[in-house]
Amino acid sequence: MSRSHTHVSQEVTAQACPLVEVIDHVAGKWSISILVAAAHGPVRFTELERSIEGISRRMLTLNLRRLERDGLLTRTVHPTVPPKVEYNLTSMARELHSYLTGLVEWAERHRGSIAQARTAYDSTAAATQAGQPHP
Amino acid sequence: MSRSHTHVSQEVTAQACPLVEVIDHVAGKWSISILVAAAHGPVRFTELERSIEGISRRMLTLNLRRLERDGLLTRTVHPTVPPKVEYNLTSMARELHSYLTGLVEWAERHRGSIAQARTAYDSTAAATQAGQPHP
DNA sequence: CAGTATCCCCTTCGATACTG
DNA sequence: CAGTATCGAAGGGGATACTG
């Protein structure tokens, strides 16, 4: 996304770091899963990989790096063999955590209603214009 | 190791509406902007288009449809000329709204710290491996 | 164990143009 | 006003293979 017209003069941090981008990083589906999964304490790479259903190693790494860069996660490497890397939430991220769990709990509570809403919407669309992708 | 093993995944994904997908729809950057912008009352298409900085008409339409399909927005067409379409949050979405504003306020509060964290991270990486992230 | 690197598909998104 | 249609560029994301 490129800024089309911006109030360029004053807040440099706002320029370097648009709100929408922060939200995008923090509220992406993998970010949320990672932050929630990492909240209960130091967590290792493979733990995350196993506990987050459907994430690939690549996506996990990418998101981990981005969250670390944004100051939401700390990454601690223990110079042992085999290597051991632990991730923790920063205090900033711990503050975020309650909103995220609120969101996740909301999603759990309403998952059923949403599924129903979709079915209803799809059948309405089918009745209206009789052109649905094959079931 | 199944302590803190979340029971939300396996059998639920068998259903049509995985949790991660719900979260993705509801917490995407445009979805959040739209839901927050639509919270204060009936809002029209062009109002949204103008109030959400950086969104394209296409993205607005796509996200609006998806939110409507998921049962988070109602779309009311007034058969006048010129046409008038109003969007409202459903009660389900109104419940979501507090978490979303919490998130947005968090992002506003910490935008500066995040920008700093990025700068720090980037200079550390540059010092460590003399290789900048791809421009 | 904890990643990187590479290939490649497929979705996302912006730009633009057209319509009821 | 409130969309829909189409195109082409960008990059998200999976599969796989390799490394310190």
Side-chain angles (χ1 to χ4, degrees), chain B residues 42-90:
Chain B
V43 67
R44 302 179 61 175
F45 187 87
T46 6
E47 279 186 84
L48 286 170
E49 193 175 12
R50 272 177 313 203
S51 70
I52 301 174
E53 190 86 6
I55 198 169
S56 67
R57 178 162 299 189
R58 181 183 140 85
M59 275 305 100
L60 182 55
T61 304
L62 255 40
N63 278 276
L64 245 22
R65 289 288 173 278
R66 195 168 66 174
L67 290 171
E68 190 195 350
R69 185 169 108 100
D70 283 2
L72 295 167
L73 285 182
T74 60
R75 176 173 176 269
T76 312
V77 182
H78 300 275
T80 59
V81 59
K84 179 176 178 178
V85 178
E86 288 182 329
Y87 292 92
N88 278 282
L89 299 195
T90 61

Side-chain angles (χ1 to χ4, degrees), chain A residues 23-71:
Chain A
I23 291 174
D24 198 34
H25 284 196
V26 137
K29 61 176 170 180
W30 297 132
S31 303
I32 294 181
S33 301
I34 291 173
L35 290 172
V36 169
H40 62 73
V43 66
R44 302 179 62 175
F45 187 87
T46 6
E47 278 187 84
L48 286 169
E49 193 175 13
R50 274 178 309 205
S51 70
I52 301 173
E53 190 85 8
I55 199 169
S56 66
R57 179 162 299 187
R58 181 183 139 88
M59 276 303 101
L60 181 55
T61 305
L62 255 39
N63 278 276
L64 246 20
R65 288 289 172 279
R66 195 168 65 175
L67 290 171
E68 190 195 351
R69 185 169 108 101
D70 282 2

Side-chain angles (χ1 to χ4, degrees), chain A residues 6-135:
Chain A
T6 37
H7 320 60
V8 186
S9 23
Q10 294 178 336
E11 298 193 5
V12 185
T13 56
Q15 296 308 311
C17 196
L19 230 193
V20 153
E21 193 197 5
V22 174
I23 291 174
D24 198 34
H25 284 196
V26 137
K29 61 176 170 180
W30 297 132
S31 303
I32 294 181
S33 301
I34 291 173
L35 290 172
V36 169
H40 62 73
V43 66
R44 302 179 62 175
F45 187 87
T46 6
E47 278 187 84
L48 286 169
E49 193 175 13
R50 274 178 309 205
S51 70
I52 301 173
E53 190 85 8
I55 199 169
S56 66
R57 179 162 299 187
R58 181 183 139 88
M59 276 303 101
L60 181 55
T61 305
L62 255 39
N63 278 276
L64 246 20
R65 288 289 172 279
R66 195 168 65 175
L67 290 171
E68 190 195 351
R69 185 169 108 101
D70 282 2
L72 295 167
L73 285 183
T74 60
R75 176 173 175 270
T76 311
V77 182
H78 300 274
T80 60
V81 57
K84 178 175 177 180
V85 178
E86 288 182 329
Y87 292 92
N88 277 283
L89 299 196
T90 62
S91 57
M92 193 158 73
R94 244 183 292 278
E95 198 184 317
L96 222 202
H97 181 246
S98 53
Y99 300 120
L100 262 28
T101 50
L103 209 90
V104 171
E105 281 160 15
W106 177 94
E108 277 166 356
R109 279 202 303 280
H110 294 283
R111 187 174 42 79
S113 315
I114 291 174
Q116 284 181 5
R118 286 184 192 172
T119 309
Y121 183 94
D122 290 347
S123 49
T124 306
T128 303
Q129 45 176 306
Q132 211 181 4
H134 39 260

